[in-house]
């Protein structure tokens, strides 16, 4: 059995507002280049202390619902001990405990095995950091 490993970094501009950015097409392009028709795992990792990776439905309001829920759970106010950056920025450092900085997903026949309405998304509530890196790694 042969094993393949490939990795690449995406550069994502999230801007200065809270965002959920769909990375599914980027993941599929990466797999088309590196997975062939093989089976394996895709790991998606964001090496930032204030962003996460989520698998959820987008485009039907779920992405906005996620941001609203995070805002309700993690208000951008002065309650946080971590106080540099924009007011309430400390909450951005708590985000990865709720939306982890990684996801590992099955790849079958070179294709990402997501449910019908699932997308791979970068969740970024940090308005102070408009550019992010996301590492894609395939192990097959």
């Amino acid at each position: 059995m042969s094993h393949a490993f490939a990795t690449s970094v995406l550069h994502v501009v999230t801007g200065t507002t809270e965002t959920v950015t769909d990375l599914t097409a980027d993941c599929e392009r990466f797999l088309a280049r590196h997975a062939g028709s093989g089976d394996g795992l895709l790991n998606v990792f964001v090496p930032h202390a204030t962003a996460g990776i989520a698998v959820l439905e987008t485009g039907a309001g779920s992405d906005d619902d996620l941001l609203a829920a995070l805002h309700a759970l993690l208000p951008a106010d002065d309650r946080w001990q971590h106080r540099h950056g924009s007011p309430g920025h400390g909450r951005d450092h708590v985000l990865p405990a709720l939306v982890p900085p990684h996801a590992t997903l099955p790849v079958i026949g070179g294709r990402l095995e997501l449910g019908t309405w699932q997308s791979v998304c970068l969740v970024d509530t940090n308005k102070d950091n408009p550019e992010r890196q996301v590492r894609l790694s395939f192990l097959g």
Side-chain angles (χ1 to χ4, degrees):
M1 176 176 184
S2 68
H3 293 282
F5 179 78
T7 189
S8 182
V9 175
L10 299 175
H11 297 277
V12 182
V13 176
T14 57
T16 57
T17 60
E18 298 175 2
T19 62
V20 174
T21 304
D22 190 339
L23 303 174
T24 309
D26 296 296
C27 293
E28 290 170 343
R29 280 190 291 275
F30 171 79
L31 290 171
R33 286 192 312 272
H34 299 289
S37 60
D39 297 346
L41 296 171
L42 174 68
N43 183 264
V44 184
F45 176 73
V46 56
H48 298 281
T50 58
I53 301 295
V55 177
L56 73 153
E57 179 180 7
T58 60
S62 297
D63 37 353
D64 292 332
D65 289 342
L66 173 60
L67 291 175
L70 290 171
H71 203 275
L73 290 169
L74 305 171
D77 58 24
D78 64 356
R79 74 183 71 200
W80 308 100
Q81 299 298 312
H82 189 104
R83 295 188 184 266
H84 76 83
S86 297
H89 174 65
R91 66 130 183 181
D92 299 325
H93 287 273
V94 177
L95 173 75
L98 301 175
V99 181
H102 59 86
T104 301
L105 306 162
V107 176
I108 306 296
R111 307 236 9 194
L112 196 54
E113 280 292 303
L114 293 173
T116 301
W117 304 112
Q118 290 179 317
S119 296
V120 181
C121 298
L122 170 66
V123 180
D124 187 2
T125 60
N126 183 355
K127 301 176 201 178
D128 296 337
N129 191 350
E131 296 182 25
R132 298 301 186 151
Q133 294 180 2
V134 178
R135 177 164 297 280
L136 304 178
S137 299
F138 173 72
L139 178 62

